[in-house]
Structures are given as C-alpha cells and as structure tokens.
Amino acid sequence: MAEVKTTSETAAVQGNTRTTGADIAAGVLLVLVLGALTRFFDTQVPQWAADTPLKRVAKTIEYPVYAIAIGLIGNVVLGKLGLRDRLSAGFRTESFIKTGVVLLGASVNLKILVTAAAPAIVQALALITIVFGFTWWFGGVLGLDDKLRALLSSAVSICGVSAAIAAAGAVQARREQIAYAASLVIIFALPSIFLLPWLADLLGLSDAVAGAWIGGNIDTTAAVAAAGALAGEESLQIATIVKTTQNALIGLVAIALTAWFAFRVDRTPGAARPSLGEFWVRFPKFVLGFVAASIIGTLYLQSVDKKTGAAHIAIVNDLRTWFLILAFVSIGLEFSLRGLREAGWRPIAVFGSAVLVNLVAGLGLSVLLFRDFAA
C-alpha cells in the first residue's frame, strides 16, 4: 500500500522551519480580528440598509460573503507587505471548519429526520447518489486529480464546505485543494440565493416543492436559509429539513471515501490489504464528533421543554457561526490566484456541470416527493 501522506495543519506548520510561535499567534490573532469585523458587518449592514432600496439584498447576504471578501482583502494587503507566507500558519481553516462541523451536529435532530422527514431522507439519498456519481465521473473524464474529484463531488452533492472538509480528511487532500473547493462553493452558492426563489416562482412551484428544491441544491446552510426566507416561511422550513438531512449524511460519505481511497485509490498493485489500523489513521475523527453532537443534541431536546432547548441550541449555533466565520476568513486569506490558474478551467467546468445536474435532478425529486406534502 502506498504511504499515507499527512496533510494536516499541524504537519504543515511543523514542516515549515521558518514558522515561529509568534508568527502562528499573529496569524491566529489576525483571523480573530477579521472574524470580528465580519460579524460586525453581518449584523450592522442590514440595519444600515433598512430604509433603502438595498434592504432586501442586505438581509439576504450572509456571513460567508463578508468573511470571504474581508479575507481576500487581507490576503492582498499581506501580500503587498510581504507577510502572507509568514503568517499563513495561523490561518487554521481546517481546525475552524472541523470545529464548526462538530457543532453543526448539535442542530441535526435525528428524531425529526427519522419521524417527520421521510421524503427529505429519500430525496437526500437519491440526490447525493446522482450528483456525487456524476461529478466523480465527469471529473475523471476531464482528468482531475482523484482527491480534488472527491472534494468537489462531496461539496456539490451534500453541503458545501463542511462536506469538502470531511472528504479532505478522508482522502488526505492538500490545503490548497480545500481552499479551491470552498471558493467554488461560495461562487456558485451566492447567485443561487436569488436565482432559485425566482425560478420557483416562475415555475409556479408550491411552497413545499420550492423549499425542497432550495434545500437540496444550495450548498451552504446559511445560503439555504437566505433563499428559503425569500421563498416564504413554509419553503424555509422544508428547505431547512432537507438541508439538515443532507448534513446528517456527511459521516456516511466520509466513511465510504476513507474506505475507497484506502483500499483502491492509494493502494499500490500487489500490496497487502490495508489494516483496520491504517483505515483508522485515515478516517476524519471529527466526523465522530459530528455524530456524537447530533445524538447528544437529540437526547437533550427530548429531555427539556421546547423553549429551553431552542435557546440552548441557539447558543451552540451561534458558536458554530463564529468558527465558520473564522474558517471563511482563513479561506480568503489562503486563497491563491496562482492556484486557480494552475488548476485551469476543468474543475470549474466539473463543478458548474454538477450544479446544473443538481438543479434538474433536485427539481424532479422535489416535485415527485413533495408535490402532495402537507405540513
């Protein structure tokens, strides 16, 4: 079996002999400051635009947009000052995202998914299978690296950056591949916030079908919430359930990818089958934290009254938002235009084509499963 190459942030930092503790601390501090600035804009811009024609737009722009934009501006400034490489060890995208994904699990109520969202489960399983399969196949046709194929396939078929991070841990992807996949998610998710509600209205879709279509197609939970709110309250509720169902499947996909890469992709011809120990080394452990948080959150909500449970889950969700803000800021700071040029047009073509397949397949499944849905 080929040697497993560790690409964790810790290993990357240790491999950079020029990195000092002060550099790492300064990098982390910069991310925290820019994260606080992101949260400020996220909360204040809607208030500033409240009495202007931009009110609706301001309310639909979510924190990933501000975070990425602020991170990119910081990226340019640091590049001009010659500090970007020196501080990059403190841009802990992987750590921030993993923590955010674990906290995401607390809001995934397994009881609701099993008892009240049967159509959402069917749609999520079918859509993930179709879109993941197409993306993996088309990425192979265009000759993409298998690890990048796994990241793009997971991101577009499940839940964007969170799924890409889970896949990255399973396949040992490079940090620049994670940043590239995350950038594509954001680029395609932003116009979807406005496009899908408009198309749903143009096609005369019911609220339930529109919500299922939005939840099954837009790749970030924040963008799903924004688009669902534009489509209406019932659409928002259905979109949230569908997206939550997809989020819950991150763990299964991570397990499948770990096994596939360990037993097939990274295994040299004639080598012995990898042991369970090697499988465990590759497996992204934070996925277990996601599952544990989901179980704990579900049991907790059963043990307290609805108001108390909602208040406490809201606290966890706010903490999750903070970690995701820091992750998106770090993505902006790490983003490399040279990396985009080197990757070329093929990943964009694969991701864009997969988005179109997702739209068509998602619409068909939404109509089939939710046309007679009654809340």
Side-chain angles (χ1 to χ4, degrees):
M1 179 178 174
E3 180 184 0
V4 175
K5 296 181 180 180
T6 303
T7 55
S8 68
E9 290 174 337
T10 301
V13 171
Q14 291 173 345
N16 186 351
T17 56
R18 294 178 298 173
T19 299
T20 66
D23 292 334
I24 297 173
V28 172
L29 179 60
L30 175 63
V31 173
L32 291 173
V33 171
L34 296 183
L37 185 60
T38 297
R39 197 62 187 265
F40 174 77
F41 280 114
D42 185 43
T43 56
Q44 295 301 312
V45 168
Q47 296 182 32
W48 295 340
D51 298 321
T52 72
L54 298 176
K55 176 176 67 174
R56 190 175 182 184
V57 175
K59 293 179 78 172
T60 56
I61 296 178
E62 295 286 332
Y63 64 84
V65 181
Y66 297 115
I68 288 283
I70 290 172
L72 287 172
I73 293 171
N75 189 329
V76 173
V77 173
L78 291 178
K80 295 293 184 181
L81 296 176
L83 295 174
R84 182 178 176 277
D85 291 340
R86 180 177 173 183
L87 301 182
S88 62
F91 307 156
R92 312 289 282 183
T93 305
E94 185 180 346
S95 299
F96 293 138
I97 279 281
K98 287 179 178 179
T99 305
V101 171
V102 171
L103 293 173
L104 171 64
S107 63
V108 177
N109 191 322
L110 297 181
K111 182 182 178 184
I112 291 177
L113 297 181
V114 172
T115 61
I121 295 173
V122 174
Q123 174 170 319
L125 291 172
L127 203 54
I128 288 174
T129 301
I130 294 169
V131 178
F132 189 101
F134 170 82
T135 312
W136 181 266
W137 166 79
F138 194 42
V141 170
L142 294 187
L144 294 190
D145 173 78
D146 283 344
K147 295 179 180 180
L148 183 57
R149 287 167 71 192
L151 265 62
L152 296 181
S153 300
S154 300
V156 74
S157 66
I158 308 176
C159 59
V161 179
S162 299
I165 291 292
V171 307
Q172 304 293 306
R174 300 190 303 275
R175 291 177 67 185
E176 53 268 31
Q177 290 177 320
I178 299 173
Y180 188 88
S183 299
L184 286 178
V185 168
I186 298 300
I187 290 170
F188 280 89
L190 292 181
S192 298
I193 294 174
F194 307 98
L195 181 62
L196 262 65
W198 175 74
L199 286 175
D201 183 62
L202 185 67
L203 295 172
L205 303 181
S206 68
D207 288 344
V209 172
W213 193 33
I214 289 169
N217 279 271
I218 299 180
D219 290 324
T220 71
T221 303
V224 165
L230 286 177
E233 182 61 29
E234 184 180 347
S235 294
L236 174 60
Q237 293 177 11
I238 298 298
T240 302
I241 290 175
V242 170
K243 179 52 62 179
T244 300
T245 305
Q246 289 186 333
N247 290 344
L249 296 174
I250 294 176
L252 294 179
V253 173
I255 292 172
L257 285 173
T258 300
W260 178 260
F261 273 75
F263 287 88
R264 294 293 296 273
V265 176
D266 291 337
R267 184 183 175 194
T268 56
R273 292 174 63 85
S275 66
L276 288 177
E278 290 169 322
F279 180 86
W280 175 250
V281 168
R282 299 179 65 104
F283 183 74
K285 315 299 189 300
F286 75 96
V287 172
L288 299 180
F290 169 87
V291 175
S294 179
I295 294 173
I296 293 170
T298 300
L299 294 176
Y300 174 73
L301 290 176
Q302 289 180 307
S303 66
V304 298
D305 63 89
K306 187 175 181 179
K307 183 177 180 180
T308 300
H312 289 169
I313 291 298
I315 294 173
V316 176
N317 287 341
D318 188 61
L319 185 60
R320 178 193 76 199
T321 297
W322 270 108
F323 276 101
L324 293 181
I325 284 173
L326 299 179
F328 284 120
V329 167
S330 298
I331 287 170
L333 289 169
E334 288 185 312
F335 185 77
S336 171
L337 190 59
R338 178 170 51 185
L340 269 179
R341 293 196 190 101
E342 290 174 354
W345 60 270
R346 293 176 300 166
I348 300 174
V350 169
F351 199 89
S353 299
V355 168
L356 291 177
V357 170
N358 201 11
L359 282 171
V360 175
L363 178 59
L365 287 167
S366 299
V367 172
L368 178 65
L369 295 169
F370 286 89
R371 67 178 182 273
D372 298 322
F373 182 86

